[in-house]
Amino acid sequence: FVSKLRDSVFPAISAAGVKLYFFSPPFRIVPGETQEPYKFEDVVGKYEFEPCFIGKEFGPAWSQHWIKVLLEIPTDWTGQEVCFRFNAECEGLVFSEHGEPLQGLLGTDGDDKRLEF
């Protein structure tokens, strides 16, 4: 199982205004043991995030990947609603820059997907 990263910003923004980075912690499977997920404070600021691109594939199933999204919102959009749609075709959690969980995401190709924040 591999997920592909897809995103978009509405109203349309140039690709130069969207910067994506990722970190993939080591994935280890130990029979009979549950792998605890990495926590925000264990990852952000402690590991180097590498440049990422739309269409990048991640895996294997049940592995954990951290995506950092930096958006440069044009000043002429002031007062407008801006929607960033993100679909990694898997479960996700949006954090504030301070580590506060803000929104869970469920990205699928079906009608039940939740990919706006």
Side-chain angles (χ1 to χ4, degrees), residues 70-115:
L70 300 176
L71 299 174
E72 185 177 320
I73 307 297
T75 55
D76 60 334
W77 288 10
T78 300
Q80 295 185 49
E81 180 176 307
V82 176
C83 177
F84 177 68
R85 293 186 1 153
F86 181 88
N87 186 2
E89 297 181 3
C90 62
E91 295 173 346
L93 182 59
V94 176
F95 290 95
S96 73
E97 63 184 315
H98 304 291
E100 178 185 348
L102 300 175
Q103 177 70 53
L105 300 176
L106 175 60
T108 68
D109 285 330
D111 291 333
D112 61 343
K113 62 185 161 193
R114 167 71 192 223
L115 39 100

Side-chain angles (χ1 to χ4, degrees), residues 36-54:
E36 288 297 317
Y38 286 77
K39 297 177 184 170
F40 183 92
E41 59 271 13
D42 296 334
V43 173
V44 176
K46 296 186 178 180
Y47 291 97
E48 188 73 28
F49 280 64
E50 300 176 39
C52 192
F53 55 89
I54 296 171

Side-chain angles (χ1 to χ4, degrees), residues 6-29:
R6 294 189 269 165
D7 76 348
S8 55
V9 179
F10 297 97
I13 190 171
S14 71
V18 179
K19 304 249 187 300
L20 301 171
Y21 302 89
F22 79 99
F23 167 69
S24 295
F27 181 66
R28 51 197 185 275
I29 297 177

